[in-house]
Structures are given as C-alpha cells and as structure tokens.
C-alpha cells in the first residue's frame, strides 16, 4: 500500500480486479491538480481516453474543457478529473455494477488523498453511484447536496450534451452554480 497520488496511480496501473483489464490499452487514472478542492467524476473511459490514458479527451472532453473555461477552471490547474471505472468498458457500454464495485476503492483512495470540498458528477452513472441510486439527472442536475462535509452536484454528461445540444444551456447553468459554490467556500486553488 502506497500513499500519495503518484504511488496510488502506480498501484492502480497494475490493477486486475475486474474483467475490464483484459481489453484495456491504458488504465485511465485521472488528471489535474492533486491540491484541487473540486473533483469531477465521469463514468468510465471511452475509446480516445483508453488510447491516450487521460479522462475526457474526445469530443465530449473538448466540450467539458469549454464549460470549465467559461467559469475560469482548467483541467490541469484547479480541478481533478477522474471516473468511476478506470478502464474502458467494451463498446462504451455502462460499467457493470460489479465493475463499479471492484473499481471504487481506487476512487475512495483518490478521494482520501485529494480531500475535495466539491464533487461534480458528470452524468447519470456517476450521480447514481455517488449521490443517490434513484438520481433523476434531467430533473436534479445543478442541485448541490452536502454529504459528510462535501458538496456534491451532478450535471449532464458531455456526451449527452453532444447528442442533445438543447441541453447545453442547462449544463452551463450548472457550471455557473459550481463557480458560485467555489467562491462561496473560497476554495479555488488558482486564485
Ligand atoms: N466519458 C466518461 O464518462 N469519462 C471519460 O473519461 C470519457 C468519456
């Protein structure tokens, strides 16, 4: 058992706790500032992420970067981004419950090192796992709830925004709410 994010990543890269390890090109551990107080959690790597080893680098990732930039956030500077599962599910299917459970200890340990004050769930899968199992993301996105001293909110998944551009203004509102919460808590590491 190692401490610190780099040691944790080195351990995670060796993980064979579920079947997703068989088809992966890269374990997609996470990206960002380990001092950040804002953590964003997606569902799991897609094709581009699996090839590059970094979360949210496809078209959805470019949209995410724009939403972050609109509220003065940057993936390498003042947030940390990771996923519920660290290896790509075949054909981008939802990660199975047992895959999520097998991978969750990595997220818990990332959480313990980074100790975020705000968590933003990107999409339904992360929201159901981290906020509540019956989360209705289309209704409840943008609403902050406090859980054990951590403020949690879900927003629509960037891939869903690409499929339904009419939902983009709603997602933009969520990022404005995120900026407000960061300012209210005074927890932007880059300001
Ligand atoms: N979708 C996710 O949920 N995570 C990624 O890293 C990429 C796409």
């Amino acid at each position: 058992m190692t401490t610190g994010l780099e040691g944790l990543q080195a351990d995670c890269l060796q993980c064979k706790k579920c079947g997703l390890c068989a088809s992966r090109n890269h374990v997609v551990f996470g990206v960002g500032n380990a001092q950040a107080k804002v953590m964003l959690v997606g569902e799991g790597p897609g094709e581009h992420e699996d090839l590059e080893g970094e979360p949210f680098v496809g078209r959805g990732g470019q949209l995410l970067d724009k939403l972050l930039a609109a509220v003065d956030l940057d993936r390498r500077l003042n947030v940390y981004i990771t996923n519920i599962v660290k290896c790509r599910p075949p054909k981008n299917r939802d990660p199975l419950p047992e895959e999520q459970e097998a991978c969750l200890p990595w997220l818990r340990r990332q959480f313990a090192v980074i100790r975020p004050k705000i968590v933003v769930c990107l999409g339904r899968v992360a929201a159901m796992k981290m906020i509540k199992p019956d989360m209705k993301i289309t209704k409840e996105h943008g609403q902050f709830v406090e859980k054990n001293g951590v403020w949690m909110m879900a927003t629509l998944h960037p891939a869903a925004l690409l499929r339904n551009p009419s939902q983009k203004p709603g997602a933009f509102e969520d990022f404005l709410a995120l900026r407000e919460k960061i300012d209210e808590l005074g927890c932007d590491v880059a300001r």
Side-chain angles (χ1 to χ4, degrees), residues 85-139:
V85 297
K86 312 299 193 223
C87 299
R88 181 190 182 199
K91 298 184 186 158
N92 297 346
R93 63 158 169 74
D94 284 358
L96 302 172
E98 58 267 31
E99 292 162 352
Q100 296 186 36
E101 278 309 309
C103 212
L104 218 52
W106 297 117
L107 184 59
R108 290 210 181 92
R109 289 166 70 184
Q110 287 174 306
F111 215 88
V113 174
I114 296 169
R115 299 202 295 131
K117 288 191 165 34
I118 300 174
V119 171
V120 178
C121 298
L122 299 168
R124 176 185 55 89
V125 169
M128 288 171 68
K129 196 75 194 166
M130 300 198 67
I131 301 180
K132 55 178 184 176
D134 60 346
M135 183 85 185
K136 298 273 174 288
I137 194 154
T138 44
K139 274 198 187 146

Side-chain angles (χ1 to χ4, degrees), residues 28 42-46 49 54-57 82-83 122 157:
V28 180
E43 175 179 324
E49 292 75 22
E54 180 169 329
F56 288 99
V57 290
T82 188
N83 283 302
L122 299 168
H157 195 284

